[in-house]
Amino acid sequence: MQENTIASSHLGISDKSTHAAPSALNMANLVVLHWAIYWVMNGLDKFLNRTDISFFTWFGKDRTEQFSGYLERTDISISLLEPILYVTGVLELLVALPLLMVLTAACNQRPISRRLFEHSFFWGTLIFTGFSFFDVIFGDRAELWEHGTFFIGLLLSYKLAKEAYTENGQFE
């Protein structure tokens, strides 16, 4: 029974008979951490791409080159490039914020706001839907495949974490 309880606690699932508090290092928290890091890093990439930040050069995906090609093909003014990238980056950072708040509450064994949890995953899927929409318009099937894969991963992550947090009684 003890082995089963330990294994379950790492998945974020507690055995109701033991009333054990979920570990901070469990699958639900790791899923939320993954997506929080994803959105932070992807958002920052829009601002820091090819930037020397003292101890290393941030070398992310060159969206400037990629997006300028898109805009040229569709006759959209290239002057919109930076605003599009920056707005996208801000939106991605805003999706990360509630995830970080959920993770902080979970790790501190405080009740997790179901609303924050669900809103962050909702906005994440909405962003991937928007990315997919533009991938089709701009004819970038590789990006479409990538965003579709992330979309599915986000939905599966949402389901896993939501079930674990619900089973552990962590939502307020």
Side-chain angles (χ1 to χ4, degrees):
M1 178 65 173
Q2 180 64 22
E3 286 180 23
N4 193 16
T5 302
I6 291 170
S8 294
S9 71
H10 287 293
L11 291 173
I13 303 167
S14 65
D15 182 349
K16 298 295 184 203
S17 64
T18 63
H19 301 290
S23 163
L25 182 61
N26 62 50
M27 190 60 73
N29 290 349
L30 289 175
V31 163
V32 171
L33 175 63
H34 167 81
W35 286 108
I37 290 171
Y38 173 86
W39 291 115
V40 166
M41 300 303 280
N42 215 41
L44 289 176
D45 193 43
K46 308 301 187 290
F47 299 96
L48 299 177
N49 194 300
R50 310 297 193 265
T51 302
D52 180 7
I53 48 179
S54 23
F55 53 96
F56 72 94
T57 299
W58 185 291
F59 190 83
K61 183 157 182 161
D62 190 355
R63 298 286 181 189
T64 303
E65 181 181 322
Q66 181 184 17
F67 278 47
S68 63
Y70 292 161
L71 297 179
E72 287 172 5
R73 283 193 302 244
T74 57
D75 295 328
I76 297 173
S77 173
I78 198 76
S79 66
L80 295 175
L81 177 66
E82 280 189 0
I84 289 170
L85 288 176
Y86 293 158
V87 166
T88 303
V90 167
L91 289 174
E92 290 172 330
L93 291 168
L94 289 174
V95 171
L97 187 61
L99 288 171
L100 292 169
M101 294 166 69
V102 164
L103 189 61
T104 301
C107 289
N108 289 320
Q109 311 241 334
R110 292 192 325 259
I112 297 168
S113 167
R114 181 184 299 266
R115 184 171 178 229
L116 281 178
F117 175 82
E118 291 182 352
H119 279 290
S120 59
F121 279 93
F122 170 81
W123 286 104
T125 56
L126 193 62
I127 287 174
F128 282 133
T129 300
F131 287 172
S132 296
F133 176 79
F134 286 104
D135 294 338
V136 171
I137 289 173
F138 296 125
D140 193 336
R141 296 300 185 229
E143 287 283 324
L144 178 61
W145 179 255
E146 183 178 311
H147 291 133
T149 302
F150 285 144
F151 182 89
I152 292 167
L154 188 65
L155 291 177
L156 293 173
S157 297
Y158 167 78
K159 182 173 176 37
L160 184 147
K162 183 177 179 185
E163 285 177 3
Y165 288 150
T166 300
E167 187 167 322
N168 289 328
Q170 290 176 274
F171 283 128
E172 53 180 19

